[in-house]
């Protein structure tokens, strides 16, 4: 598997002929975006690779459509590079209603879809649970999902994209014993001054627990730089993960922005 980290949550995954783009964010830096309840965030850095240089894409995995740090304006306009978009049910309805994509399919946690493409092995995608904040915040932050991807009949996923989530019971249950070849772990410890200490995504300590539970062959941190509302940026997260006990630190693979890395 080849992974190219582009910025924020955005990565290009190449596996068995499939070209998969996650949470497309391609706006230039400098703009401030509105989030829920009057919160805002500024995009600090732009994408390491321009959308025009990505090429054809088979599939976009969109954890949620309503936050600019997971789908910004250029990312939304560029969804057409992909044949299929998988996202939440609400996201698929919105993308279809606005004409952003003609094959946007909505999934709930636990739903599975099998994708086919000429010359490529069939791809089984299962939506995994996310909770984008503290209990009872879903009406404010909206629905989010992650994705596990596997070949037909495979014992374990080739890829797990966690999506934007905090640690909670359903996530722990799904993660335990998953053994994905590669996990894209969304961290960043999203916080806003308005809501004080409440976090809306995992931090590096949470990632350590998740890696211990899921035991991936490799864990690639994403969603950890480029935005002002990430309270734990890449430098701090890398220090925490480097000090992780046991085999966790050995599983973490940092992908330099814009440079593809090959994982077994």
């Amino acid at each position: 598997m080849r992974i190219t980290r582009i910025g924020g949550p955005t990565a290009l995954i190449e596996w068995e002929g499939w070209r998969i783009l996650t949470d497309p964010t391609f706006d230039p830096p400098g703009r401030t975006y509105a989030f829920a309840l009057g919160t805002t965030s500024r995009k600090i850095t732009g994408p390491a690779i321009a959308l025009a240089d990505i090429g054809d894409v088979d599939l976009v995995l969109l954890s949620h459509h309503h936050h600019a740090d997971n789908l910004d304006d250029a990312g939304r306009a560029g969804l057409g590079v992909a044949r299929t978009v998988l996202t939440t049910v609400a996201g698929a309805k919105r993308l279809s209603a606005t004409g952003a994509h003609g094959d946007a399919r909505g999934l709930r946690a636990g739903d599975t879809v099998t994708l086919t493409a000429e010359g490529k092995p069939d791809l089984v995608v299962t939506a995994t649970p996310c909770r984008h904040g503290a209990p009872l915040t879903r009406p404010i932050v909206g629905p989010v999902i992650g994705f596990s991807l596997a070949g037909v009949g495979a014992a374990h996923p080739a890829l797990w994209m966690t999506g934007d989530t905090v640690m909670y019971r359903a996530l722990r249950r799904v993660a335990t014993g998953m053994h994905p070849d590669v996990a894209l772990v969304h961290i960043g410890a999203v916080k806003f001054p308005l809501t004080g200490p409440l976090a809306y995504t995992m931090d590096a300590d949470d990632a350590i627990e998740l890696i211990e539970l899921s035991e991936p062959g490799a864990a690639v941190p994403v969603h950890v730089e480029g935005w002002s509302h990430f309270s734990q940026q890449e430098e701090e997260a890398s220090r925490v993960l480097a000090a992780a006990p046991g085999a966790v630190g050995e599983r973490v693979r940092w992908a330099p922005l814009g440079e593809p890395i090959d994982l077994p």
Side-chain angles (χ1 to χ4, degrees), residues 43-56:
K43 190 168 187 180
I44 301 168
T45 59
I49 300 174
L51 179 63
D53 296 327
I54 295 295
D56 292 335

Side-chain angles (χ1 to χ4, degrees), residues 46-190:
I49 300 174
L51 179 63
D53 296 327
I54 295 295
D56 292 335
V57 172
D58 297 296
L59 173 65
V60 166
L61 300 175
L62 178 60
S63 64
H64 56 303
H65 72 291
H66 48 279
H67 293 157
D69 59 322
N70 295 84
L71 183 68
D72 58 17
D73 290 345
R76 188 184 304 270
L79 288 175
V81 302
R83 190 161 51 88
T84 300
V85 176
L86 296 182
T87 187
T88 62
V89 172
K93 289 179 179 178
R94 178 63 178 170
L95 295 179
S96 297
T98 58
H101 202 278
D103 186 17
R105 308 186 194 182
L107 303 175
R108 295 180 176 87
D111 288 350
T112 295
V113 62
T114 299
L115 302 177
T116 61
E118 185 176 353
K120 303 176 178 66
D122 291 355
L123 186 63
V124 180
V125 183
T126 300
T128 60
C130 292
R131 195 182 76 199
H132 200 1
L136 306 179
T137 59
R138 177 169 170 162
I140 299 171
V141 300
V144 182
I145 55 173
F147 304 91
S148 72
L149 283 64
V152 174
H156 304 289
L159 176 76
W160 180 29
M161 170 186 160
T162 67
D164 285 10
T165 184
V166 295
M167 286 295 292
Y168 72 115
R169 183 180 301 173
L171 184 65
R172 290 184 176 96
R173 184 169 57 247
V174 166
T176 300
M178 181 187 284
H179 300 296
D181 294 336
V182 177
L184 285 184
V185 184
H186 289 218
I187 51 178
V190 164

Side-chain angles (χ1 to χ4, degrees), residues 207-219:
I208 290 170
E209 180 185 355
L210 193 75
I211 293 166
E212 289 174 334
L213 292 172
S214 59
E215 297 183 308

